Amino acid sequence: YIDDPTWWKDTSKLCLKDAVIGYDKVYTVVKTEYPPLHLGCDPDIHKSIILNKEQADFFGSNVAFIGTLRDESRGQVILDFIKKKPANLSFKIWGNGFQHPIFQPFWMGKPAYFSDFARVCSHTKIIFQQHFSASPETKDFEVPCCNSALYIVDNKAVNTKTIYPMIPTYKDTEELLHHIEYYMSHEQERQQIVKQMREIALNYSYK
């Protein structure tokens, strides 16, 4: 299974390219010459979880990013967000690769998997994502399924936008901040989109 089905064809990534031909079957998440592997969510895991105040304060925030710092473009988006966000807007990073000092005040020091993932989603107002390609990612289904946080993606995620026509998208940090400011002050609209996206995400349930 490969997130980006064209990634391994890059001759600069010979290790993965050589490894792929050693498998009997190769699956991708978009339609190519290989059979598709559909991503989805598990409603038994990806659900709203009630926490006490101490737990909610630990897992929750106004805004969160959940993911791994795998390339410079993702790091730059998060860095710009940190520099430009309002001081009173709480922000947490859950993932690997954020050891740089500039991320330290916001990095929780670990990823959020399974029940912790659901706890973060349940007590965060907005979660944003920076995609590596147009291909959907697992969080595109897992976050909406938790039915709590508004999920915002960059405009590279064209396939995710096709799945969720109502999802807010951003082209740069300014537009991301604009969406956050708007939906933080329009709770009813935020909740309406969250509900609509969950109904769609459930169609991609593994159940």
Side-chain angles (χ1 to χ4, degrees):
Y1 157 65
I2 303 169
D3 284 68
D4 182 352
T6 63
W7 194 87
W8 68 274
K9 294 181 180 180
D10 186 339
T11 55
S12 68
K13 305 181 178 74
L14 294 178
C15 180
L16 183 56
K17 182 180 179 183
D18 293 342
V20 167
I21 62 175
Y23 289 89
D24 296 326
K25 293 183 181 293
V26 176
Y27 294 91
T28 69
V29 295
V30 295
K31 187 177 181 180
T32 64
E33 65 268 35
Y34 303 106
L37 175 67
H38 297 292
L39 300 178
C41 53
D42 184 344
D44 288 340
I45 298 173
H46 307 114
K47 60 185 179 181
S48 181
I49 297 178
I50 298 174
L51 302 175
N52 62 40
K53 186 181 185 306
E54 182 179 357
Q55 293 171 324
D57 287 345
F58 177 77
F59 286 102
S61 60
N62 295 142
V63 182
F65 176 87
I66 305 176
T68 302
L69 186 59
R70 290 196 292 179
D71 69 356
E72 185 176 343
S73 63
R74 174 173 280 187
Q76 190 60 52
V77 168
I78 299 173
L79 178 61
D80 287 346
F81 176 79
I82 289 172
K83 289 180 177 179
K84 297 176 181 179
K85 77 173 189 67
N88 63 346
L89 187 73
S90 60
F91 175 55
K92 291 180 180 177
I93 300 172
W94 300 84
N96 293 316
F98 294 94
Q99 288 85 358
H100 192 282
I102 197 164
F103 299 121
Q104 289 298 310
F106 311 96
W107 184 43
M108 300 305 292
K110 64 176 184 176
Y113 295 139
F114 303 110
S115 59
D116 278 353
F117 181 94
R119 291 182 180 102
V120 172
C121 293
S122 297
H123 294 272
T124 301
K125 292 287 188 180
I126 295 172
I127 293 174
F128 73 88
Q129 179 63 291
Q130 172 77 8
H131 282 62
F132 294 106
S133 70
S135 300
E137 300 182 2
T138 55
K139 284 187 285 294
D140 295 349
F141 307 100
E142 294 168 348
V143 174
C145 190
C146 289
N147 198 33
S148 296
L150 175 64
Y151 190 52
I152 300 178
V153 298
D154 60 301
N155 58 9
K156 188 190 302 179
V158 292
N159 291 332
T160 305
K161 181 69 173 178
T162 301
I163 295 170
Y164 304 102
M166 71 293 296
I167 190 173
T169 62
Y170 65 92
K171 65 179 182 296
D172 52 31
T173 308
E174 285 70 24
E175 189 169 19
L176 172 60
L177 286 166
H178 171 76
H179 284 316
I180 291 171
E181 180 182 4
Y182 179 83
Y183 287 108
M184 287 294 292
S185 59
H186 292 77
E187 179 64 13
Q188 187 173 351
E189 290 184 46
R190 189 191 72 83
Q191 290 186 6
Q192 182 179 6
I193 296 176
V194 168
K195 181 179 179 180
Q196 291 172 340
M197 290 183 62
R198 183 174 190 270
E199 291 173 355
I200 294 173
L202 288 175
N203 293 325
Y204 293 84
S205 167
Y206 294 129
K207 298 296 184 183

